[in-house]
Amino acid sequence: MKRIHVISIVLIVAAIAMLISASDDLSTYSSFADARATTKKVKIAGQLAKDREMYYNPEQDPNYFSFYLEDQDGEQRKVILLSAKPQDFEMSEQVVVTGKWKDEDFIASSVLLKCPSKYKNEEIFLKEEGTI
């Protein structure tokens, strides 16, 4: 077999492996009830429960942050992120957590924040003036 054929086969196998690993991330959003029913990683989109406790003490443990999230079904549960608290976390409009259910809590491996647009105030101002 020629050298170019071997390199081509290796590149094709690598591309297929990358597609398979990327397909794991192409999941739909679940709820806390779905997360309790499976052992796989799930994504849960919801609103931060701002009236509930958020705990982060970087002097004691910089890799522990807990908060409460309300999923799309209205269920509020504690979420534990074994990482530092994301910047501007309290300002987020929507939170997407990826992780697994463990005991009575959801252990998140990653958090994605949807923050308010910096242009939102400008848009409101333009609507009030009647220019939009």
Side-chain angles (χ1 to χ4, degrees), residues 66-101:
S66 68
F67 59 95
Y68 285 84
L69 185 73
E70 183 175 333
D71 67 5
Q72 295 170 343
D73 294 340
E75 183 178 357
Q76 285 189 7
R77 289 293 176 174
K78 185 176 183 180
V79 176
I80 298 173
L81 175 64
L82 299 177
S83 174
K85 179 181 175 182
Q87 186 176 359
D88 297 332
F89 186 77
E90 293 86 2
M91 293 178 19
S92 63
E93 288 182 352
Q94 184 179 31
V95 179
V96 178
V97 291
T98 304
K100 294 181 180 182
W101 190 264

Side-chain angles (χ1 to χ4, degrees), residues 19-132:
L19 287 173
I20 290 172
S21 68
S23 70
D24 289 341
D25 196 37
L26 300 175
S27 61
T28 58
Y29 294 129
S30 301
S31 64
F32 285 119
D34 296 335
R36 281 192 296 275
T38 184
T39 58
K40 295 181 181 180
K41 277 188 174 182
V42 295
K43 286 186 178 185
I44 299 175
Q47 301 289 324
L48 176 64
K50 294 182 181 180
D51 59 333
R52 304 283 302 262
E53 177 191 16
M54 281 188 273
Y55 177 79
Y56 181 61
N57 187 350
E59 291 85 23
Q60 189 177 35
D61 187 358
N63 292 322
Y64 182 90
F65 172 54
S66 68
F67 59 95
Y68 285 84
L69 185 73
E70 183 175 333
D71 67 5
Q72 295 170 343
D73 294 340
E75 183 178 357
Q76 285 189 7
R77 289 293 176 174
K78 185 176 183 180
V79 176
I80 298 173
L81 175 64
L82 299 177
S83 174
K85 179 181 175 182
Q87 186 176 359
D88 297 332
F89 186 77
E90 293 86 2
M91 293 178 19
S92 63
E93 288 182 352
Q94 184 179 31
V95 179
V96 178
V97 291
T98 304
K100 294 181 180 182
W101 190 264
K102 183 177 180 184
D103 297 329
E104 291 298 314
D105 302 319
F106 185 83
I107 308 298
S109 57
S110 68
V111 173
L112 177 67
L113 304 176
K114 181 180 176 186
C115 293
S117 172
K118 65 181 181 180
Y119 303 108
K120 194 172 192 176
N121 290 337
E122 182 179 329
E123 182 181 324
I124 292 170
F125 176 75
L126 292 174
K127 282 184 181 178
E128 287 175 354
E129 287 188 344
T131 56
I132 293 184

